[in-house]
Amino acid sequence: MNIEPQGSISAQVSQIVISVDAMGGDKGPAAVVAGLDLFLASRPDAQILLHGNQDVLNGLVAALAAKDRITIIHAQDVVQMTDKPAQVIRTGKNTSMWSALDSVREGAAAACISCGNTGALMALSTMRLRRIEGVKRPAIACMWPSLNPSGFNILLDAGADLKADAPDLLNYAFMGASYARNGLGLTLPRVGLLNVGTEEHKGRAELREAHDLLTAAQEAGGFDYVGFVEGGDIPMSTVDVIVTDGFTGNVALKTGEGTARLVAKMLRDMFGTNILSKLAAILAYGALKKFRHQMDPRRVNGGVFLGLNGTVVKSHGSSDATSFAAAISQAYDLAKMNFTDRVAARLATSASFTAGLDSAEPATATD
């Protein structure tokens, strides 16, 4: 992700420290360490706190050129993908995930990244870092390939909480717009509220209530509210930020991932049918390579947890070195621009709208 900071950046420091959970992914710590090697090669001011079993990690890190910028912090246990969040909260104090989050909590690191259990990571992040004042439900924001000039839209919530009432959706709009300004370089992001139709009378009561809140709050939130949008608008150029509840957002995300795999397989099958189709594939190689690059999920691997007192990025469980490097670059960029403080400043304005529209004043925060 190429982040263009807006305004003055208070986090321009000589070293950016990122806390990494090395143990939670499907491919094991070897993929994480390989991703760190790619990341550190292009970020000379980055330092890593690597959490996990030191007996496993010592050998992997020793071979890296940037090993002097990695500090291994021993954590004996691992959060498994099958573990329940409540179980991890009760018994997970010695896990690499818990240890990685505590480095952010204690101020030793500016951001945390993990490719482990999503539910456990959100539960532990909420418990250890706490929610920003005014946030009842944190959200996961993800980048979605689109026809916009940036190549992406932002969707939230992508699965942090299955429910969301009108004040939650308003908070999501404020947080998503802030992410779009900093992550996509957009001065006035267009925000849409996902619904079953674009007419104002459509949808559940909380959606119609959120529609009124977003209409009134768009100036204070620094976004252009375009109204209700439908599922077909998610990859289009009509909107920059799509706001929805976690249940709907996660279903949309998984559907999109499955559709991308289907299209890729169909193209492979079609171009491999016979000699003529293989010849056509050769002739179309440049266009197909560009298409593959644009649709490659590894470029934007990483869902950002918004609404917490600390930056947390969730990398995909099956991340390879390339995708993990992209996710940690995302965490690095957000930490460097002090993104959490920017979101908190915007959310202070959002609270005034849920307390009473008439008392709200336009925001003075810059993000």
Side-chain angles (χ1 to χ4, degrees):
M1 181 176 66
N2 181 23
I3 291 185
E4 298 292 341
Q6 304 284 306
S8 61
I9 306 297
S10 60
Q12 300 275 0
V13 295
S14 58
Q15 297 290 335
I16 301 295
V17 182
I18 306 297
S19 181
V20 177
D21 171 16
M23 309 301 292
D26 295 335
K27 297 182 182 297
V32 171
V33 173
L36 287 179
D37 192 29
L38 294 176
F39 164 76
L40 289 170
S42 62
R43 298 295 197 282
D45 62 340
Q47 296 277 341
I48 302 298
L49 301 180
L50 189 62
H51 302 259
N53 189 314
Q54 62 184 7
D55 293 335
V56 175
L57 296 177
N58 280 335
L60 295 172
V61 171
L64 303 187
K67 60 181 178 294
D68 292 342
R69 289 192 279 143
I70 299 175
T71 301
I72 297 173
I73 299 177
H74 180 66
Q76 184 64 39
D77 298 335
V78 179
V79 175
Q80 304 296 334
M81 290 297 187
T82 54
D83 288 345
K84 302 294 184 184
Q87 172 191 349
V88 176
I89 288 176
R90 290 194 305 269
T91 64
K93 193 170 184 178
N94 294 322
T95 63
S96 56
M97 183 182 289
W98 188 303
S99 179
L101 287 166
D102 270 7
S103 288
V104 177
R105 173 189 170 100
E106 295 161 4
C112 171
I113 181 169
S114 172
C115 48
N117 183 318
T118 303
L121 182 62
M122 176 56 77
L124 281 182
S125 298
T126 303
M127 183 183 75
R128 303 306 294 163
L129 301 180
R130 302 297 181 183
R131 295 182 289 266
I132 294 173
E133 185 175 355
V135 174
K136 182 171 67 173
R137 293 185 174 98
I140 301 175
C142 68
M143 293 282 192
W144 195 294
S146 80
L147 296 179
N148 274 323
S150 66
F152 299 99
N153 288 334
I154 293 170
L155 182 140
L156 73 164
D157 176 23
D161 201 309
L162 300 185
K163 298 180 180 180
D165 57 22
D168 296 325
L169 294 170
L170 177 64
N171 280 341
Y172 295 171
F174 272 71
M175 294 189 296
S178 184
Y179 188 26
R181 274 188 296 275
N182 291 283
L184 299 178
L186 302 177
T187 302
L188 189 68
R190 296 162 299 163
V191 174
L193 187 59
L194 192 62
N195 200 353
V196 294
T198 58
E199 300 86 352
E200 292 190 8
H201 66 276
K202 290 285 185 73
R204 301 188 304 270
E206 60 266 28
L207 287 176
R208 297 195 298 273
E209 183 183 352
H211 172 76
D212 293 338
L213 286 173
L214 267 66
T215 299
Q218 56 185 319
E219 181 179 354
F223 58 83
D224 176 19
Y225 177 55
V226 303
F228 289 134
V229 296
E230 298 178 284
D233 295 307
I234 296 175
M236 295 294 112
S237 60
T238 54
V239 68
D240 303 304
V241 178
I242 301 98
V243 171
T244 187
D245 61 83
F247 181 90
T248 307
N250 192 261
V251 169
L253 178 64
K254 298 299 173 59
T255 302
E257 290 175 347
T259 301
R261 289 195 295 269
L262 172 66
V263 170
K265 184 180 187 306
M266 291 176 69
L267 285 173
R268 286 196 300 268
D269 291 346
M270 284 189 296
F271 282 115
T273 304
N274 52 48
I275 258 314
L276 290 177
S277 63
K278 291 179 180 178
L279 178 60
I282 294 172
L283 294 174
Y285 176 76
L288 291 172
K289 184 177 180 182
K290 182 178 179 181
F291 173 79
R292 180 181 179 184
H293 174 73
Q294 289 177 332
M295 297 301 292
D296 188 351
R298 298 180 304 170
R299 291 195 301 140
V300 288
N301 171 50
V304 181
F305 290 6
L306 300 178
L308 300 171
N309 289 303
T311 298
V312 180
V313 174
K314 168 63 174 70
S315 180
H316 202 286
S318 59
S319 295
D320 60 11
T322 300
S323 56
F324 192 80
I328 195 170
S329 295
Q330 192 173 18
Y332 166 92
D333 289 334
L334 292 173
K336 191 165 187 175
M337 69 176 61
N338 209 11
F339 179 65
T340 298
D341 290 345
R342 295 177 177 217
V343 172
R346 285 289 176 179
L347 287 173
T349 303
S350 174
S352 67
F353 279 88
T354 57
L357 294 175
D358 294 337
S359 63
E361 296 292 337
T364 58
T366 58
D367 58 4

